[in-house]
Amino acid sequence: MIAELGGIRNLRINVAKPDTGPTRHAFSTNGSLELPAYQLGQQVATRKAYGDALVALGKARGDVVVLDGEVSNSTFAEEFRDELPDRYFEMYIAEQQMIATAVGLQVLGWRPLASTFAAFFSRAYDFIRMAAISRVDLRLAGSHAGVSIGEDGPSQMALEDIASIRAVHGSTVLHPCDANQTAKLVARMADTDGIVCLRTIRDGGDVAIVAAGVTVPEALKAAVALAEDGIEARVIDLYSIKLLDEETLRSLRCPIVTVEDHWPEGGLGEAVLAALGDADERPTVVRVAVREMPHSGKPEELLREAGIDADGIVRAARQVVQARVSAP
């Protein structure tokens, strides 16, 4: 169609829309979701649990497809590739195209899950942002986040990913701390636009430690050390950083220490502050985060240098509790 506007000829091209009718190929499934389960004390990386859960999800559902940016041996998406190769898409080092393809697959009725190193999603940020504007459901899994990845160095450490994805309209940011939690959240991701949940795993009334991911076990260690000093710490596993259970956060009457393997800007600590921002009364919030550019090293060394290990959490908690006791 050609239209005249103010003497200027404008060419409008009618582009055929994708056929979103009920023509999608149906893969055979077992129809029963049997998520992997891990024993107490068993050390399993959350990315390994992601791969295990993908396989279980794919076998139970014929609409699940998986994409990866040529790091499937690290994200463990290769487990899905090996078990269900007809529904796996290797996108190579082309994160923008991976997101674009995931959008297209979702429009056609599939449930795509796309994975790469969390830091590399920054290359496709505009595609993620535009997908949100188009009201597309994206399911993304970013591995190797924070200084805790160790010797790969700062170029591979996602320290901005929480902030960037939190800023996307309608997004949900999940940060599980163990394998069982990861598997269950992967299953929920397939059908849920957002999860609102905050889970407490240790009680105490002197200070609340809010952590996520790798900092949760460090927070639990800190709680044990603080108890030896007579300080009872409540540990909150904030595995859903967006959306938050604001009611639970607002119910806290003790000082709060947030700890995250992320820059302080835009991460877990600021999410907690935002939840408390318009409260009539709120407790003191101390944010423990990565504040100096990290380097290559052992994970435990880098956690300690960043001050986000158990010792760093203990120091912050002691200071905030002492300040509360000393206040007139």
Side-chain angles (χ1 to χ4, degrees), residues 45-54 66-81 88-90 98 113-121 140-145 182 186:
T46 52
R47 57 195 174 102
K48 175 64 167 65
Y50 171 73
D52 295 343
L54 284 183
V66 171
L67 305 87
D68 194 88
E70 205 175 5
V71 288
S72 61
N73 61 327
S74 295
T75 62
F76 283 91
E78 66 180 6
E79 295 190 12
F80 188 96
R81 178 201 65 196
Y88 174 82
F89 298 86
E90 178 56 74
M98 181 174 71
L113 291 94
S115 54
T116 185
F117 283 17
F120 299 162
F121 278 127
L140 309 176
S143 69
H144 294 72
T182 301
V186 169

Short mmCIF file of all heavy atoms in Angstrom, two decimals, residues 45-54 66-81 88-90 98 113-121 140-145 182 186:
data_model
loop_
_atom_site.label_atom_id
_atom_site.label_comp_id
_atom_site.label_asym_id
_atom_site.label_seq_id
_atom_site.Cartn_x
_atom_site.Cartn_y
_atom_site.Cartn_z
N ALA A 45 26.42 -28.96 41.63
CA ALA A 45 26.36 -27.59 41.11
C ALA A 45 24.96 -27.29 40.60
O ALA A 45 24.31 -28.16 40.02
CB ALA A 45 27.38 -27.40 39.99
N THR A 46 24.51 -26.06 40.81
CA THR A 46 23.17 -25.70 40.34
C THR A 46 23.07 -25.80 38.82
O THR A 46 22.01 -26.11 38.29
CB THR A 46 22.79 -24.29 40.80
OG1 THR A 46 23.83 -23.37 40.42
CG2 THR A 46 22.62 -24.24 42.31
N ARG A 47 24.16 -25.56 38.11
CA ARG A 47 24.10 -25.70 36.65
C ARG A 47 23.95 -27.16 36.24
O ARG A 47 23.31 -27.44 35.22
CB ARG A 47 25.33 -25.06 35.99
CG ARG A 47 26.67 -25.59 36.46
CD ARG A 47 27.81 -24.65 36.02
NE ARG A 47 29.09 -25.06 36.57
CZ ARG A 47 30.01 -25.71 35.89
NH1 ARG A 47 29.81 -26.02 34.61
NH2 ARG A 47 31.15 -26.04 36.44
N LYS A 48 24.50 -28.08 37.02
CA LYS A 48 24.28 -29.51 36.74
C LYS A 48 22.83 -29.87 36.98
O LYS A 48 22.20 -30.61 36.18
CB LYS A 48 25.18 -30.36 37.63
CG LYS A 48 24.96 -31.88 37.52
CD LYS A 48 25.29 -32.40 36.14
CE LYS A 48 25.39 -33.91 36.09
NZ LYS A 48 24.13 -34.59 36.38
N ALA A 49 22.24 -29.33 38.03
CA ALA A 49 20.82 -29.57 38.30
C ALA A 49 19.95 -28.98 37.20
O ALA A 49 18.91 -29.54 36.86
CB ALA A 49 20.44 -28.98 39.66
N TYR A 50 20.39 -27.86 36.63
CA TYR A 50 19.67 -27.27 35.50
C TYR A 50 19.61 -28.25 34.34
O TYR A 50 18.54 -28.50 33.76
CB TYR A 50 20.34 -25.97 35.08
CG TYR A 50 19.80 -25.38 33.79
CD1 TYR A 50 18.56 -24.76 33.75
CD2 TYR A 50 20.54 -25.44 32.60
CE1 TYR A 50 18.05 -24.22 32.57
CE2 TYR A 50 20.04 -24.90 31.42
CZ TYR A 50 18.80 -24.29 31.41
OH TYR A 50 18.31 -23.77 30.24
N GLY A 51 20.74 -28.84 34.00
CA GLY A 51 20.78 -29.82 32.91
C GLY A 51 19.92 -31.03 33.19
O GLY A 51 19.18 -31.51 32.32
N ASP A 52 20.01 -31.55 34.41
CA ASP A 52 19.19 -32.70 34.80
C ASP A 52 17.70 -32.39 34.69
O ASP A 52 16.91 -33.20 34.21
CB ASP A 52 19.52 -33.12 36.24
CG ASP A 52 20.94 -33.64 36.40
OD1 ASP A 52 21.57 -33.98 35.38
OD2 ASP A 52 21.41 -33.71 37.55
N ALA A 53 17.33 -31.19 35.16
CA ALA A 53 15.93 -30.80 35.14
C ALA A 53 15.42 -30.59 33.72
O ALA A 53 14.26 -30.88 33.41
CB ALA A 53 15.72 -29.54 35.97
N LEU A 54 16.28 -30.07 32.84
CA LEU A 54 15.89 -29.90 31.44
C LEU A 54 15.49 -31.23 30.82
O LEU A 54 14.49 -31.33 30.11
CB LEU A 54 17.04 -29.29 30.63
CG LEU A 54 17.33 -27.80 30.78
CD1 LEU A 54 18.45 -27.42 29.82
CD2 LEU A 54 16.10 -26.96 30.50
N VAL A 66 15.30 -26.37 23.77
CA VAL A 66 16.44 -25.79 24.48
C VAL A 66 17.42 -25.19 23.48
O VAL A 66 17.70 -25.78 22.43
CB VAL A 66 17.15 -26.85 25.34
CG1 VAL A 66 18.47 -26.33 25.90
CG2 VAL A 66 16.23 -27.29 26.48
N LEU A 67 17.93 -24.01 23.81
CA LEU A 67 18.94 -23.33 23.00
C LEU A 67 20.15 -23.04 23.88
O LEU A 67 20.00 -22.80 25.09
CB LEU A 67 18.41 -22.01 22.43
CG LEU A 67 17.13 -22.03 21.61
CD1 LEU A 67 15.90 -21.90 22.51
CD2 LEU A 67 17.14 -20.89 20.58
N ASP A 68 21.33 -23.03 23.27
CA ASP A 68 22.53 -22.73 24.04
C ASP A 68 23.54 -22.02 23.14
O ASP A 68 23.58 -22.24 21.94
CB ASP A 68 23.15 -24.00 24.62
CG ASP A 68 24.17 -23.71 25.70
OD1 ASP A 68 23.78 -23.60 26.87
OD2 ASP A 68 25.37 -23.57 25.36
N GLY A 69 24.37 -21.17 23.77
CA GLY A 69 25.35 -20.37 23.05
C GLY A 69 26.73 -20.99 23.03
O GLY A 69 27.71 -20.31 23.35
N GLU A 70 26.82 -22.25 22.66
CA GLU A 70 28.09 -22.98 22.51
C GLU A 70 28.86 -23.14 23.81
O GLU A 70 30.09 -23.21 23.82
CB GLU A 70 28.98 -22.32 21.44
CG GLU A 70 29.96 -23.30 20.83
CD GLU A 70 30.78 -22.71 19.69
OE1 GLU A 70 30.67 -21.50 19.42
OE2 GLU A 70 31.54 -23.48 19.08
N VAL A 71 28.14 -23.16 24.91
CA VAL A 71 28.78 -23.45 26.20
C VAL A 71 27.98 -24.54 26.93
O VAL A 71 27.94 -24.58 28.15
CB VAL A 71 28.88 -22.18 27.07
CG1 VAL A 71 29.94 -21.24 26.53
CG2 VAL A 71 27.54 -21.46 27.18
N SER A 72 27.36 -25.43 26.15
CA SER A 72 26.47 -26.43 26.75
C SER A 72 27.20 -27.40 27.66
O SER A 72 26.60 -28.00 28.55
CB SER A 72 25.74 -27.22 25.66
OG SER A 72 26.66 -27.91 24.82
N ASN A 73 28.53 -27.54 27.47
CA ASN A 73 29.29 -28.40 28.38
C ASN A 73 29.49 -27.74 29.74
O ASN A 73 29.80 -28.41 30.73
CB ASN A 73 30.64 -28.76 27.77
CG ASN A 73 31.50 -27.54 27.51
OD1 ASN A 73 31.00 -26.47 27.19
ND2 ASN A 73 32.81 -27.71 27.62
N SER A 74 29.30 -26.42 29.79
CA SER A 74 29.40 -25.69 31.05
C SER A 74 28.05 -25.43 31.68
O SER A 74 27.89 -25.48 32.90
CB SER A 74 30.12 -24.35 30.82
OG SER A 74 31.47 -24.56 30.42
N THR A 75 27.04 -25.12 30.84
CA THR A 75 25.69 -24.90 31.37
C THR A 75 24.95 -26.21 31.62
O THR A 75 23.90 -26.22 32.24
CB THR A 75 24.85 -24.07 30.38
OG1 THR A 75 24.71 -24.80 29.15
CG2 THR A 75 25.51 -22.72 30.10
N PHE A 76 25.51 -27.30 31.09
CA PHE A 76 24.93 -28.65 31.17
C PHE A 76 23.65 -28.79 30.33
O PHE A 76 22.92 -29.75 30.48
CB PHE A 76 24.69 -29.10 32.61
CG PHE A 76 25.95 -29.52 33.31
CD1 PHE A 76 26.71 -28.60 34.03
CD2 PHE A 76 26.40 -30.82 33.24
CE1 PHE A 76 27.89 -28.98 34.65
CE2 PHE A 76 27.58 -31.22 33.86
CZ PHE A 76 28.33 -30.29 34.57
N ALA A 77 23.43 -27.84 29.41
CA ALA A 77 22.36 -28.04 28.43
C ALA A 77 22.69 -29.21 27.52
O ALA A 77 21.80 -29.74 26.84
CB ALA A 77 22.17 -26.76 27.61
N GLU A 78 23.96 -29.63 27.48
CA GLU A 78 24.34 -30.77 26.67
C GLU A 78 23.62 -32.05 27.07
O GLU A 78 23.45 -32.96 26.25
CB GLU A 78 25.85 -31.00 26.74
CG GLU A 78 26.37 -31.41 28.12
CD GLU A 78 27.87 -31.63 28.15
OE1 GLU A 78 28.52 -31.34 27.12
OE2 GLU A 78 28.39 -32.10 29.19
N GLU A 79 23.15 -32.11 28.31
CA GLU A 79 22.39 -33.29 28.73
C GLU A 79 21.09 -33.39 27.94
O GLU A 79 20.68 -34.47 27.52
CB GLU A 79 22.12 -33.23 30.23
CG GLU A 79 23.37 -33.31 31.09
CD GLU A 79 23.05 -33.49 32.56
OE1 GLU A 79 21.88 -33.77 32.89
OE2 GLU A 79 23.97 -33.36 33.38
N PHE A 80 20.44 -32.26 27.73
CA PHE A 80 19.23 -32.24 26.91
C PHE A 80 19.58 -32.56 25.46
O PHE A 80 18.86 -33.32 24.79
CB PHE A 80 18.57 -30.86 27.01
CG PHE A 80 17.21 -30.77 26.37
CD1 PHE A 80 16.06 -30.92 27.13
CD2 PHE A 80 17.07 -30.51 25.02
CE1 PHE A 80 14.80 -30.83 26.56
CE2 PHE A 80 15.82 -30.41 24.43
CZ PHE A 80 14.68 -30.58 25.20
N ARG A 81 20.66 -31.99 24.96
CA ARG A 81 21.10 -32.26 23.58
C ARG A 81 21.31 -33.76 23.35
O ARG A 81 20.91 -34.30 22.31
CB ARG A 81 22.40 -31.51 23.31
CG ARG A 81 23.01 -31.74 21.93
CD ARG A 81 24.49 -31.41 21.94
NE ARG A 81 25.24 -32.32 22.80
CZ ARG A 81 26.48 -32.09 23.23
NH1 ARG A 81 27.09 -30.96 22.91
NH2 ARG A 81 27.08 -32.96 24.00
N TYR A 88 16.95 -29.61 20.40
CA TYR A 88 18.06 -28.81 20.89
C TYR A 88 18.61 -27.97 19.73
O TYR A 88 18.80 -28.46 18.62
CB TYR A 88 19.17 -29.70 21.44
CG TYR A 88 20.40 -28.94 21.84
CD1 TYR A 88 20.49 -28.30 23.07
CD2 TYR A 88 21.49 -28.83 20.97
CE1 TYR A 88 21.62 -27.59 23.42
CE2 TYR A 88 22.62 -28.12 21.32
CZ TYR A 88 22.68 -27.50 22.55
OH TYR A 88 23.80 -26.78 22.89
N PHE A 89 18.89 -26.69 20.00
CA PHE A 89 19.39 -25.78 18.99
C PHE A 89 20.71 -25.18 19.46
O PHE A 89 20.74 -24.45 20.45
CB PHE A 89 18.37 -24.66 18.71
CG PHE A 89 17.06 -25.15 18.18
CD1 PHE A 89 16.06 -25.56 19.05
CD2 PHE A 89 16.84 -25.24 16.82
CE1 PHE A 89 14.85 -26.02 18.57
CE2 PHE A 89 15.64 -25.71 16.32
CZ PHE A 89 14.64 -26.11 17.20
N GLU A 90 21.79 -25.51 18.74
CA GLU A 90 23.10 -24.93 19.04
C GLU A 90 23.21 -23.60 18.30
O GLU A 90 23.21 -23.56 17.07
CB GLU A 90 24.21 -25.87 18.61
CG GLU A 90 25.61 -25.32 18.83
CD GLU A 90 25.83 -24.93 20.28
OE1 GLU A 90 25.98 -25.83 21.13
OE2 GLU A 90 25.84 -23.70 20.55
N MET A 98 20.42 -16.12 19.44
CA MET A 98 19.82 -17.10 20.34
C MET A 98 18.53 -16.56 20.93
O MET A 98 17.50 -17.24 20.96
CB MET A 98 20.80 -17.48 21.46
CG MET A 98 20.23 -18.52 22.43
SD MET A 98 21.43 -19.12 23.63
CE MET A 98 21.60 -17.67 24.68
N LEU A 113 13.92 -22.69 26.41
CA LEU A 113 14.80 -22.30 27.50
C LEU A 113 16.18 -22.09 26.89
O LEU A 113 16.72 -22.98 26.23
CB LEU A 113 14.86 -23.36 28.60
CG LEU A 113 13.58 -23.54 29.42
CD1 LEU A 113 12.71 -24.65 28.84
CD2 LEU A 113 13.91 -23.85 30.89
N ALA A 114 16.74 -20.90 27.10
CA ALA A 114 18.01 -20.52 26.49
C ALA A 114 19.06 -20.31 27.56
O ALA A 114 18.80 -19.67 28.57
CB ALA A 114 17.85 -19.26 25.64
N SER A 115 20.26 -20.83 27.32
CA SER A 115 21.31 -20.75 28.35
C SER A 115 22.64 -20.32 27.76
O SER A 115 22.97 -20.62 26.61
CB SER A 115 21.47 -22.10 29.05
OG SER A 115 21.71 -23.14 28.11
N THR A 116 23.40 -19.61 28.57
CA THR A 116 24.78 -19.25 28.28
C THR A 116 25.39 -18.76 29.58
O THR A 116 24.74 -18.79 30.63
CB THR A 116 24.87 -18.18 27.18
OG1 THR A 116 26.26 -17.96 26.86
CG2 THR A 116 24.26 -16.86 27.62
N PHE A 117 26.63 -18.30 29.55
CA PHE A 117 27.19 -17.66 30.73
C PHE A 117 26.37 -16.39 31.00
O PHE A 117 26.05 -15.65 30.09
CB PHE A 117 28.65 -17.27 30.51
CG PHE A 117 29.62 -18.43 30.60
CD1 PHE A 117 29.18 -19.75 30.52
CD2 PHE A 117 30.97 -18.19 30.78
CE1 PHE A 117 30.06 -20.80 30.60
CE2 PHE A 117 31.87 -19.25 30.87
CZ PHE A 117 31.42 -20.55 30.78
N ALA A 118 26.07 -16.13 32.26
CA ALA A 118 25.23 -14.99 32.60
C ALA A 118 25.81 -13.68 32.07
O ALA A 118 25.07 -12.79 31.65
CB ALA A 118 25.04 -14.91 34.12
N ALA A 119 27.13 -13.56 32.07
CA ALA A 119 27.76 -12.33 31.59
C ALA A 119 27.47 -12.09 30.12
O ALA A 119 27.42 -10.93 29.67
CB ALA A 119 29.27 -12.40 31.81
N PHE A 120 27.27 -13.15 29.35
CA PHE A 120 27.12 -13.01 27.90
C PHE A 120 25.71 -12.57 27.50
O PHE A 120 25.50 -12.18 26.35
CB PHE A 120 27.48 -14.31 27.20
CG PHE A 120 28.91 -14.74 27.43
CD1 PHE A 120 29.29 -16.06 27.19
CD2 PHE A 120 29.86 -13.85 27.89
CE1 PHE A 120 30.59 -16.47 27.41
CE2 PHE A 120 31.16 -14.25 28.12
CZ PHE A 120 31.54 -15.56 27.88
N PHE A 121 24.76 -12.61 28.41
CA PHE A 121 23.43 -12.09 28.08
C PHE A 121 23.48 -10.58 27.85
O PHE A 121 22.59 -10.02 27.21
CB PHE A 121 22.43 -12.41 29.20
CG PHE A 121 21.87 -13.81 29.11
CD1 PHE A 121 21.92 -14.65 30.20
CD2 PHE A 121 21.28 -14.27 27.95
CE1 PHE A 121 21.40 -15.94 30.14
CE2 PHE A 121 20.76 -15.56 27.86
CZ PHE A 121 20.82 -16.39 28.96
N LEU A 140 15.42 -17.78 30.56
CA LEU A 140 16.86 -17.67 30.38
C LEU A 140 17.57 -18.28 31.58
O LEU A 140 17.13 -18.12 32.71
CB LEU A 140 17.28 -16.21 30.23
CG LEU A 140 16.51 -15.40 29.18
CD1 LEU A 140 16.98 -13.94 29.22
CD2 LEU A 140 16.67 -15.98 27.80
N ALA A 141 18.68 -18.95 31.31
CA ALA A 141 19.50 -19.51 32.39
C ALA A 141 20.94 -19.07 32.18
O ALA A 141 21.57 -19.42 31.18
CB ALA A 141 19.41 -21.04 32.39
N GLY A 142 21.43 -18.27 33.12
CA GLY A 142 22.80 -17.77 33.05
C GLY A 142 23.67 -18.45 34.09
O GLY A 142 23.39 -18.37 35.28
N SER A 143 24.72 -19.11 33.65
CA SER A 143 25.64 -19.77 34.58
C SER A 143 26.86 -18.90 34.81
O SER A 143 27.03 -17.85 34.20
CB SER A 143 26.06 -21.13 34.01
OG SER A 143 26.89 -20.96 32.87
N HIS A 144 27.73 -19.34 35.71
CA HIS A 144 29.01 -18.69 35.98
C HIS A 144 28.84 -17.23 36.39
O HIS A 144 29.41 -16.31 35.79
CB HIS A 144 29.93 -18.80 34.76
CG HIS A 144 30.35 -20.20 34.46
ND1 HIS A 144 29.46 -21.13 33.94
CD2 HIS A 144 31.53 -20.84 34.62
CE1 HIS A 144 30.08 -22.28 33.78
NE2 HIS A 144 31.34 -22.14 34.20
N ALA A 145 28.04 -17.01 37.41
CA ALA A 145 27.77 -15.66 37.90
C ALA A 145 28.62 -15.35 39.13
O ALA A 145 28.80 -16.20 40.00
CB ALA A 145 26.29 -15.50 38.23
N THR A 182 17.00 -25.62 42.40
CA THR A 182 17.15 -25.33 40.98
C THR A 182 16.21 -26.17 40.14
O THR A 182 15.52 -25.66 39.25
CB THR A 182 18.60 -25.58 40.54
OG1 THR A 182 19.48 -24.76 41.31
CG2 THR A 182 18.78 -25.28 39.06
N VAL A 186 13.28 -24.71 37.66
CA VAL A 186 13.30 -24.93 36.21
C VAL A 186 11.93 -25.41 35.74
O VAL A 186 11.41 -24.96 34.72
CB VAL A 186 14.40 -25.94 35.82
CG1 VAL A 186 14.25 -26.38 34.36
CG2 VAL A 186 15.78 -25.33 36.03
#
